[in-house]
Amino acid sequence: MFVTAEKERRVKANAPEYNGKFSYADNHIKTSKYNVFTFLPVNLFEQFQRVANAYFVVLLILQLIPEISSLSWFTTIVPLVLVLVITAVKDATDDYFRHRSDQQVNNRQSQVFVRGSLQNEKWMNVRVGDIIKLENNQFVAADVLLLCSSEPHGLCYVETAELDGETNLKVRHAVSVTSDLGDVSKLMDFDGEVICEPPNNKLDKFTGTLHWKDNKYSLDNEQMLLRGCVLRNTDWCFGMVIFAGLQTKLMQNCGKTQFKRTSIDKLMNTLVLWIFAFLICMGVFLAIGNTLWEIWIGRNFEVFLPRDEFQGSPVFSGFLTFWSYIIILNTVVPISLYVSVEVLRLGHSFFINWDQKMYHDQTDTPAEARTTTLNEELGQVEFIFSDKTGTLTQNIMVFSKCSINGQTYGDIYDEFDQRVEITEKTACVDFSFNPLCDRGFKFYDSSLVEAVKRDDPAVQEFFRLLALCHTVMPEEKSEGNLVYQAQSPDEGALVTAARNFGFIFRARTPETVTLWEMGRAVTYQLLAILDFNNVRKRMSVIVKNPQGHIKLYCKGADTIIFDRLERSSQDLMYATSEHLSEFAGEGLRTLALACKDMDEEYYEDWMKKLHCASTAIETRDEQLTVLYEEIEQGMKLLGATAIEDKLQDGVPETIACLNLANIKIWVLTGDKLETAMSIGYSCNMLRDDMNEVFVVSGHTLLEVQEQLRSSKEQILGLSWVSRAGDVEKTDTFADDSVFEEAVIAEYALVINGHSLAHALEPQLEHILLDLACLCKTVICCRVTPMQKAQVVELVKRHKRAVTLAVGDGANDVSMIKTAHIGVGISGQEGMQAVLASDYSFAQFQYLQRLLLVHGRWSYFRMCNFLSYFFYKNFAFTLVHFWYGFFCGFSAQTVYDQWFISLFNIVYTSLPVLAMGLFDQDVNDQNSLRYPSLYKPGQQNLLFNKRQFFLCTLQGMTTSFLIFFIPYGVFSGMVKEDGTNYSDQQTLAVTIATTLVIVVSVQIGLDTHYWTAVNHLFVGGSLAVYFVVLFAMQSDGLFAILQSNFPFVGAARNSLSEKSVWLVILLTTVVCVVPGLVISFLRVDLLPTFTDKVRHLQQCRKKQRPQEQNLRRLRRMSSRRSAYAFSHQEGYGELITSGKNMKTSTVSSACSPERTANSSIWIENVLKRKNEVACIS
């Protein structure tokens, strides 16, 4: 039976048998990689993707064959099993936490209709077609079709932070025909069938039809509650499950957990293949040598050394010799290398976990390395993909400053009239005069409170406008406990500011708005709401106060408001404009406020025109626009507001520092275009001095293609300047990374989600990537979680660069899993991002230290470790190759077998581990002070194929000198008693001792940063070598096990000779001095930037280095980002219709103790389809 792709979905309510025949996915989710049965085979398969692990298994098999093995099998199997077990335990631990997370989610409780009654069921048991009940503040268990709710007209409000990162509420509404199914009996009888699209990852799109009672009703995204949403401000609602489990839109966007390996791991696989090929070549060469030796010389020994017939063949002897040398020479890549690498990575992970400078004391959150396999990759990152909300920002809007009647408020000054910087210790304004103030609101300029208290008419009118001109909904569950539900955080910040300065918005009905103005209740008649849209960039309300005066209050973009002012406001406009430029220069989001008095006759005449326009069938929008334009003329300017979209601490400084490290930062956010751009300016990712900010917002493939190509042509046409100074326009350099560096001008690219969907098509993705890489800043807004992953995958696939994704919500999980490195911010949007991440911490600013300090150190240490390890083992192993020419190519070992077994495990393991754990070329202060130190990692300069060739060449040269200098000296030298140095054991001890001393001296020269541990391990390893050497070659052990300790007395006899020590000294000097001279000349004549910083650090060693803090960067911008730009179209029409309102049980009287009736209102507008397409 073949499984075909689902073309459409059919779901029938209360019909499990009908739905069961389609075999839809259940609601069980699985993000883990293994289970009890698959763990061993899958994990071993992953581990044996490392070529070295498979290589050591082959060697182990060869060592079990006695005819060819001269080494014991346990020297290979013990470290191999150790590596496999350590890695398996680590992987099992990581997956255990994924299992726990899955189990926690799957076992959540949900109320499901079963046989006519509500029963509690685990989420995993919910099926497609079930009708479930959701209650306030509950997570939505699956993708459900909203049927009815406790709110009027089947409305409900959901928070979608887990999906798109936005914390403001969204409105969903049921189809009108099902909105009254609140009774259990009615829900039992409901048998509607939904025919809709198959499962997909499009969060903002749903197409379907409800068939019920012989009628069809169209369905779209406004009727869907998606898994991951949270029900807010709604007592209850009922929904019908359409998609469940892994077929929900959230899980379709999550992506699969990928097996991540570092670039060094991949390089190591290649190098191991090279080494294996080199090993084969040496084995073949030595086997041929053995065959020729047997033919020409070996047969002469058969007279007194008779052999079996099958061993007498020179060819067969050469065949056996080949495998023997493969075993003997395998230590060019010892298994201890991989044990040491895992130990180093574990140690580097602990350093990250223990770093107190990455600990966030406010939330008691330390940094955590959730994997140990990617540490050195942190030192090679070229692209960072960051979420915005909760990652760069705190998603908290703060009323920071304002300009009223030409006077600015918000700054504080000392007695010398100098502006004082506001810190956490600065005293806040005392709002105790206002019993209904928001205790969390902070303002520092007391002169504004004094102006309110002395009844300054301009100030009072300013805050009256803020309290009246909005679409905020209040919720007052207890007396004086006000909670505002705002369409956007910045609109809520403005109403909260008015509340604290004595103009409290308490209640609204479709016809009235009730304020509490300086201790007295005032009810305004709400006559009209002139709603916001993307073209108007402003909103207005028309109200009648208790005295019968009609007023229009308007707020919006300053460029829009200034064009509609009366002439008497010209001087005030110029003063306010200067204040707005100052506010915008500090990265604040600005807004201009104006009002207008109207006589009743003019208003009534205008209302008649409005009524006619509102009922027009054709050109309704155009007629309304004309009428709005007419009445919003001749206004009087009141002032301007400045709101700070609070960034996380240190975000601009961190971005500036990472940019200096040649790391490109792309922002991928679900927020609206203007909101994302505003944060870009606040973070200094966008600046006014950039040559161009390209906005790609085409709706069709052709439009997007044209916008991308024209933008790319503009960069190529204006940015490439020849040496002669002429401008060249060419596409020749489009795909050349060198050209990217040669671009002189600075550009930024901003692209929205629907345009990105076209740009990611195969025919356009190369143009998109070329354009993005030519730009200094890239911002993708209104993107889905899957689009985030696709952008990361695009860069991974074509740029061959290390990518890092950082986010804090479930909507970031897919890109975190896709990137080479995933970083989770423990924020306010749950722990999904942290659980899916490789590293986690509490603040974006810690990314700077993670990369520039820990990442760079880990890469530096790992590269030095690998270079030294290959040098050491080539020097150790190739001595056998040279010795083969003098032992008839018989695969006899130079060293004692115990020395071969202990060299990498005991004699040289700890010094190289100490270097790999503690070494540092420069300290952490200088690593942060000079971000350019990070660039060698991005360019793979410290360990690559060239560096591998150089270190192996040094190892070969050392092995050659270590063998031939003692051999040559001993051949013509006699002992003090006149006898010759003719025995192999003396040569072996001399070579082994020289080797240990040479590699110990070399690691001392390679170490940049000495600690007590380094001194102990280097000196201790030498001491241990001599202790073990004399013990292994003592008479006592020989007497116990003669066959296992054949070198009896060799160390005592040879090392007691002065001439042997002179040979050791001569060999050590000849091996070490040339490398030392080359290193000295390189640093002196061709110093790298790291060498220069290290020299500077050494010059300042006597002084305690003071960490240089980057100044807080301010964007010097004249661009004013008003709050209105970040809105969708408003919901004034919904407010005035009264559809959303229900009577509250809390009532108030018009007295200081009790105020007018209060209601629970909706938080958000029914979502419109239009996107912001143009930027002012």
Side-chain angles (χ1 to χ4, degrees), residues 215-276:
N215 290 315
K216 296 181 181 179
Y217 307 92
S218 64
L219 304 174
D220 59 24
N221 208 45
E222 301 303 311
Q223 286 84 45
M224 293 298 295
L225 307 181
L226 302 183
R227 181 185 181 120
C229 296
V230 182
L231 193 67
R232 300 290 193 200
N233 294 349
T234 306
D235 293 337
W236 53 263
C237 71
F238 287 96
M240 171 182 167
V241 177
I242 305 297
F243 303 119
L246 297 176
Q247 292 182 339
T248 59
K249 291 181 182 287
L250 174 64
M251 298 306 296
Q252 291 277 306
N253 274 282
C254 278
K256 294 182 178 179
T257 301
Q258 300 183 4
F259 177 62
K260 296 183 178 182
R261 291 184 298 161
T262 67
S263 56
I264 285 185
D265 271 338
K266 297 172 184 176
L267 176 61
M268 287 283 292
N269 275 350
T270 302
L271 297 182
V272 167
L273 290 175
W274 286 10
I275 292 173
F276 186 68

Side-chain angles (χ1 to χ4, degrees), residues 471-482:
T471 52
V472 171
M473 304 300 171
E475 182 179 355
E476 189 170 5
K477 294 185 176 180
S478 60
E479 183 66 31
N481 182 19
L482 271 173

Side-chain angles (χ1 to χ4, degrees), residues 542-558:
I542 301 174
V543 298
K544 180 185 286 188
N545 64 20
Q547 291 75 34
H549 298 152
I550 298 175
K551 275 202 169 187
L552 177 143
Y553 291 104
C554 181
K555 65 181 180 183
D558 57 288

Side-chain angles (χ1 to χ4, degrees), residues 676-914:
M677 289 189 68
S678 174
I679 295 301
Y681 278 100
S682 299
C683 296
N684 289 284
M685 296 179 68
L686 298 177
R687 301 191 313 276
D688 279 345
D689 59 0
M690 283 184 161
N691 293 68
E692 189 73 43
V693 177
F694 300 110
V695 179
V696 178
S697 56
H699 290 271
T700 66
L701 186 69
L702 292 177
E703 289 178 0
V704 174
Q705 183 179 25
E706 179 58 29
Q707 291 177 349
L708 290 174
R709 282 183 174 172
S710 63
S711 301
K712 182 179 175 183
E713 288 171 1
Q714 182 173 341
I715 296 178
L716 299 182
L718 297 179
S719 296
W720 180 259
V721 181
S722 67
R723 291 185 180 179
D726 298 327
V727 177
E728 299 177 0
K729 183 176 180 180
T730 174
D731 288 330
T732 308
F733 305 96
D735 298 321
D736 193 348
S737 60
V738 176
F739 177 73
E740 293 173 16
E741 297 178 3
V743 171
I744 297 171
E746 288 189 354
Y747 297 92
L749 172 65
V750 181
I751 183 169
N752 59 28
H754 54 78
S755 301
L756 185 62
H758 295 302
L760 289 172
E761 294 290 333
Q763 60 268 41
L764 292 186
E765 63 178 16
H766 286 285
I767 303 176
L768 171 66
L769 186 61
D770 290 343
L771 174 60
C773 290
L774 293 172
C775 293
K776 185 176 181 64
T777 296
V778 178
I779 298 176
C780 303
C781 56
R782 279 298 182 203
V783 293
T784 66
M786 188 53 68
Q787 283 179 323
K788 293 183 178 183
Q790 289 170 343
V791 172
V792 176
E793 182 61 37
L794 177 67
V795 175
K796 279 180 63 179
R797 190 167 63 249
H798 295 294
K799 297 303 292 184
R800 295 182 180 178
V802 177
T803 60
L804 180 147
V806 54
D808 72 321
N811 58 316
D812 304 313
V813 167
S814 55
M815 73 169 179
I816 284 174
K817 289 182 176 180
T818 303
H820 293 97
I821 304 168
V823 175
I825 304 290
S826 346
Q828 301 176 0
E829 297 182 22
M831 294 294 289
Q832 284 81 355
V834 170
L835 292 173
S837 67
D838 304 304
Y839 300 89
S840 68
F841 39 70
Q843 293 278 300
F844 180 83
Q845 63 176 329
Y846 298 148
L847 188 61
Q848 177 181 351
R849 187 170 180 84
L850 180 70
L851 298 183
L852 302 189
V853 177
H854 291 286
R856 202 184 72 81
W857 278 353
S858 294
Y859 174 71
F860 168 78
R861 290 163 176 168
M862 186 62 70
C863 292
N864 281 2
F865 166 83
L866 291 174
S867 296
Y868 175 78
F869 213 101
F870 282 120
Y871 152 76
K872 170 175 71 78
N873 282 282
F874 268 75
F876 164 60
T877 304
L878 292 189
V879 171
H880 295 297
F881 179 81
W882 311 121
Y883 184 56
F885 291 91
F886 300 94
C887 67
F889 305 98
S890 61
Q892 182 182 354
T893 59
V894 178
Y895 314 112
D896 175 19
Q897 179 174 318
W898 288 104
F899 179 81
I900 296 175
S901 300
L902 297 177
F903 177 76
N904 280 306
I905 298 176
V906 177
Y907 301 150
T908 61
S909 61
L910 293 181
V912 70
L913 277 179

Side-chain angles (χ1 to χ4, degrees), residues 332-379:
V332 284
V333 186
I335 189 65
S336 60
L337 170 64
Y338 290 91
V339 178
S340 301
V341 166
E342 293 300 324
V343 171
L344 290 185
R345 287 174 171 167
L346 183 63
H348 297 163
S349 299
F350 280 128
F351 293 154
I352 294 172
N353 296 344
W354 294 337
D355 192 343
Q356 294 185 355
K357 294 181 180 179
M358 296 172 65
Y359 169 75
H360 193 240
D361 54 358
Q362 295 177 9
T363 58
D364 189 27
T365 305
E368 180 183 6
R370 299 175 55 81
T371 181
T372 60
T373 58
L374 303 174
N375 295 323
E376 64 270 17
E377 198 95 315
L378 290 171

Side-chain angles (χ1 to χ4, degrees), residues 526-543:
L526 182 60
L527 302 179
I529 295 180
L530 283 57
D531 217 347
F532 166 87
N533 65 34
N534 298 327
V535 178
R536 285 168 42 77
K537 294 183 174 65
R538 65 191 183 278
M539 77 161 291
S540 301
V541 295
I542 301 174
V543 298

